[in-house]
Amino acid sequence: MTYAFTTPIYYVNAAPHLGTAYTTIAADCVARYQRMNGNKVAFVTGMDEHGQKVADTAKEHDMNPQEWCDSMEPAFRDEWDRLKITYTDFVRTTEERQTRSVQKFWQDLYDKGYLYKGAYEGWYCVHEETYYAESDLDKNEDGLYVCPECGRPVQESTGEENWFFKLSEFQDKLLDYYEKHPDFIRPEIRRNEVVSFVKSGLKDLSISRSTFDWGVPLPFDDGHVAYVWADALLAYLTGIGYPDNEKEFNECWPMQYHFVGKDIIRFHCVIWPAMLMAAGLPQPKCIFGHGFLLTKGEKMSKSKGNAVKPEDMVRVFGLDAYRYYFMSDVQFGVDGSISLERMIQVYNADLANTWGNLVSRVFNMTNKYFDGKVPAKSDDSPMKDIVDGLYEKYNEAMDKVDFTAAIKEVLALAERVNHYVEESAPWTLAKEGKNEELSQVMYNMLESIRVIALYMLPFMPETSEIVLKSLKVDATSINTSWGELEPGTQIDMCEPLFPRLKEDEIDFNVE
Ligand code: MSP
């Protein structure tokens, strides 16, 4: 079985920002770890190109929707390349294979009797691409109905002919499924939210639009295109071979994870599972709804003007420190306030002073005392027990996507080795001519560095690769048993991994 998972398929009305990059980086850490752990990985991401929001954005730019979407593809692909994202498929919802997926899926549900035609009376928020009942809406100071999510005015629909999916039929089946599969929706807080939403009653869902044509045509009725969510969710299947490649599809489905932000959990935890039930397909193992990145207590978003570009972050901190900060300091699953001060603090404490400092001290000492060669093996090490027990703890945390916990374990080892440098004082051993002891101590440090670099690799691929290359170690598998580092290996010196940062030397602000 392939270890398969997804990020959301992002709207192309704007380029990626820190919020969208956050999910994608998290998914990449999973991808890298699972590969090192010996699993085949399918990591699906992509662009959500249909719907009114994208059509309106194209118009604002004097382009037709397809031209607009094509022009946005490099913004996404280049960003993911810059962040070293190792996705295995990038689905554009305007691709022909996606059209085939959408049409096959909904034709199947039509044939099974899950669809009917009706008139839609209600409200629609284009920005959220979401239908609302009047009772869901807020009012602004002019007395106008606005979207409860984004606060923008909503459009009234008076009887648009739509195709409806019999979502209401799935209420009990969904509740039953949630109950029997406590890990289906994580974290717990999202699960509770979803359960109480479903308990409050489900309405049938409009899955087509007939007032505009920027979407996948429904095969059983001319003039209707799929509602953007009835299209985008199916990109998850398209990215693993549906409907053409049954073998690939069966290897990857059901997936391990859909990683999504908490704002889109209803689509993923209610509509999507009901669609899958109707189609007779198994459910994904877990839908994980992470929190928002907040700046000054507000959700960071392009439209609020407080969105930071990932490239600025990379320019100031370097790719690895950027990835590390978000994965270690923002607990995956809850909202996290981010600030420049905190980033600098974490960078200096964990990376410059702990991990980077350890590597440069130990490499320099190896150079000085052993001409840069790894000395003889040592089995007598205060770090051996920690290393022996680390895989289980780390693996468990990574399986649960608790990146903060996984990193904490590895950092604790780096801290331990830093203390060990002080305790064992190799400079004194060298001065006193205690060569055997010196050799043992240096091996212990170098071997610990190898192990730390391997465990850090999913989060910080660039620096771990530098360290592992210096140690002439294969970076493709998580071979962390004590004693793998070969004596006699000539170590290549490397530049300091994380030079210390000073706040007043940094020329940008996340506030
Ligand atoms: N196109 C839909 C998803 C379809 S999936 C079948 C969509 N796209 S989106 O471009 O708006 O992307 C959103 C993802 O980015 C969501 O998971 C959302 O939660 C996440 N984020 C957007 N701003 C965010 C923050 N400030 N913080 C964290 N994640 C945020 O929705």
Side-chain angles (χ1 to χ4, degrees):
M1 212 44 205
T2 299
Y3 198 98
F5 50 90
T6 63
T7 69
I9 306 298
Y10 300 110
Y11 288 129
V12 293
N13 61 311
H17 61 73
L18 281 196
T20 43
Y22 176 60
T23 329
T24 314
I25 290 174
D28 187 59
C29 294
V30 173
R32 287 175 180 274
Y33 175 60
Q34 291 303 336
R35 279 191 204 104
M36 288 173 82
N37 211 13
N39 289 318
K40 197 172 165 210
V41 162
F43 168 5
V44 178
T45 188
M47 307 202 310
D48 193 352
E49 305 185 19
H50 287 130
Q52 215 169 319
K53 171 155 82 170
V54 171
D56 290 353
T57 309
K59 213 167 175 188
E60 283 160 24
H61 289 82
D62 287 327
M63 287 188 199
N64 72 42
Q66 188 65 58
E67 280 169 356
W68 169 255
C69 295
D70 292 347
S71 78
M72 289 302 283
E73 184 176 0
F76 281 84
R77 291 225 189 232
D78 293 352
E79 194 63 83
W80 303 153
D81 286 350
R82 186 184 353 257
L83 303 182
K84 295 224 155 101
I85 305 298
T86 56
Y87 57 82
T88 59
D89 204 320
F90 185 96
V91 181
R92 293 186 53 177
T93 56
T94 52
E95 284 176 80
E96 227 238 295
R97 57 179 179 149
Q98 170 74 1
T99 303
R100 285 200 301 282
S101 256
V102 174
Q103 293 186 337
K104 181 172 157 66
F105 189 91
W106 288 110
Q107 180 69 53
D108 182 35
L109 265 54
Y110 174 83
D111 294 342
K112 287 177 171 154
Y114 285 113
L115 307 184
Y116 65 91
K117 212 171 187 176
Y120 183 72
E121 308 272 350
W123 301 84
Y124 193 74
C125 171
V126 175
H127 187 261
E128 300 298 324
E129 297 280 18
T130 302
Y131 299 101
Y132 291 107
E134 200 159 304
S135 55
D136 297 331
L137 299 173
D138 292 339
K139 269 194 180 161
N140 68 10
E141 60 267 21
D142 304 325
L144 283 179
Y145 278 127
V146 293
C147 171
E149 200 60 47
C150 69
R152 291 178 175 79
V154 282
Q155 295 178 346
E156 186 172 14
S157 178
T158 46
E160 180 184 333
E161 275 261 284
N162 284 173
W163 282 92
F164 283 83
F165 169 48
K166 296 178 182 169
L167 182 63
S168 58
E169 281 190 9
F170 292 89
Q171 179 166 344
D172 292 340
K173 287 186 196 116
L174 286 168
L175 288 170
D176 187 53
Y177 194 85
Y178 304 147
E179 172 135 5
K180 292 197 174 114
H181 301 84
D183 284 335
F184 179 56
I185 303 168
R186 285 181 42 219
E188 179 90 21
I189 181 171
R190 314 263 177 262
R191 180 188 143 81
N192 297 341
E193 241 174 88
V194 170
V195 169
S196 65
F197 172 73
V198 175
K199 276 190 177 156
S200 74
L202 291 180
K203 294 200 188 69
D204 291 344
L205 173 78
S206 161
I207 55 108
S208 79
R209 303 296 310 266
S210 55
T211 49
F212 71 101
D213 63 2
W214 183 236
V216 176
L218 288 185
F220 44 84
D221 195 353
D222 281 351
H224 283 258
V225 294
Y227 164 47
V228 63
W229 277 97
D231 168 356
L233 286 161
L234 293 166
Y236 295 153
L237 306 188
T238 307
I240 51 169
Y242 180 90
D244 310 318
N245 187 339
E246 212 174 312
K247 186 169 173 281
E248 183 191 355
F249 180 69
N250 289 336
E251 245 182 55
C252 299
W253 192 265
M255 287 187 168
Q256 299 293 329
Y257 278 110
H258 291 310
F259 298 118
V260 299
K262 64 178 186 178
D263 52 335
I264 53 175
I265 53 167
R266 285 188 193 171
F267 296 101
H268 285 84
C269 302
V270 182
I271 297 173
W272 180 228
M275 283 166 63
L276 292 167
M277 283 175 181
L281 287 169
Q283 300 297 328
K285 300 270 164 54
C286 175
I287 293 146
F288 193 97
H290 65 71
F292 288 150
L293 301 180
L294 309 174
T295 47
K296 288 202 169 158
E298 279 216 335
K299 179 186 175 196
M300 179 186 279
S301 74
K302 181 97 182 174
S303 47
K304 290 207 180 90
N306 61 358
V308 176
K309 285 201 208 119
E311 63 190 83
D312 289 332
M313 207 59 97
V314 173
R315 178 173 52 80
V316 173
F317 291 95
L319 172 64
D320 280 11
Y322 161 32
R323 290 175 58 123
Y324 178 87
Y325 170 72
F326 284 98
M327 293 299 106
S328 65
D329 207 48
V330 182
Q331 176 74 48
F332 203 51
V334 296
D335 288 352
S337 286
I338 59 168
S339 73
L340 191 60
E341 292 77 45
R342 180 73 187 145
M343 271 180 236
I344 296 169
Q345 203 181 16
V346 170
Y347 176 101
N348 282 335
D350 295 4
L351 301 180
N353 295 352
T354 306
W355 175 220
N357 183 41
L358 177 68
V359 172
S360 80
R361 281 178 98 184
V362 173
F363 279 17
N364 284 332
M365 289 190 285
T366 312
N367 214 16
K368 192 163 168 194
Y369 305 134
F370 292 96
D371 293 328
K373 284 201 179 62
V374 177
K377 270 190 196 178
S378 152
D379 256 345
D380 178 14
S381 162
M383 276 80 71
K384 185 175 178 302
D385 277 353
I386 305 177
V387 169
D388 286 347
L390 195 52
Y391 176 79
E392 205 181 314
K393 290 185 193 156
Y394 180 91
N395 189 50
E396 195 193 327
M398 290 303 274
D399 256 354
K400 289 198 301 208
V401 293
D402 186 348
F403 307 115
T404 304
I407 289 174
K408 205 167 147 212
E409 295 293 339
V410 186
L411 196 71
L413 174 61
E415 277 160 2
R416 178 68 191 92
V417 189
N418 267 326
H419 285 139
Y420 181 70
V421 175
E422 296 304 323
E423 283 159 24
S424 53
W427 44 91
T428 311
L429 299 175
K431 213 186 277 168
E432 293 170 356
K434 296 182 175 160
N435 282 349
E436 208 167 304
E437 213 176 314
L438 179 64
S439 148
Q440 191 176 36
V441 162
M442 291 307 301
Y443 185 89
N444 288 343
M445 292 172 189
L446 287 163
E447 174 60 346
S448 302
I449 286 178
R450 180 189 72 87
V451 170
I452 297 166
L454 281 171
Y455 281 123
M456 285 297 194
L457 191 137
F459 306 103
M460 300 195 283
E462 283 185 341
T463 45
S464 277
E465 273 164 25
I466 291 173
V467 173
L468 294 167
K469 215 165 145 222
S470 292
L471 293 170
K472 318 263 161 66
V473 168
D474 169 27
T476 57
S477 81
I478 198 99
N479 190 350
T480 51
S481 352
W482 185 265
E484 289 292 320
L485 187 61
E486 270 309 306
T489 307
Q490 181 73 44
I491 294 173
D492 298 328
M493 290 298 119
C494 55
E495 297 291 312
L497 300 176
F498 303 102
R500 273 188 75 82
L501 283 177
K502 286 206 190 98
E503 203 174 320
D504 53 7
E505 288 166 4
I506 289 176
D507 66 343
F508 97 123
N509 213 327
V510 291
E511 269 77 19

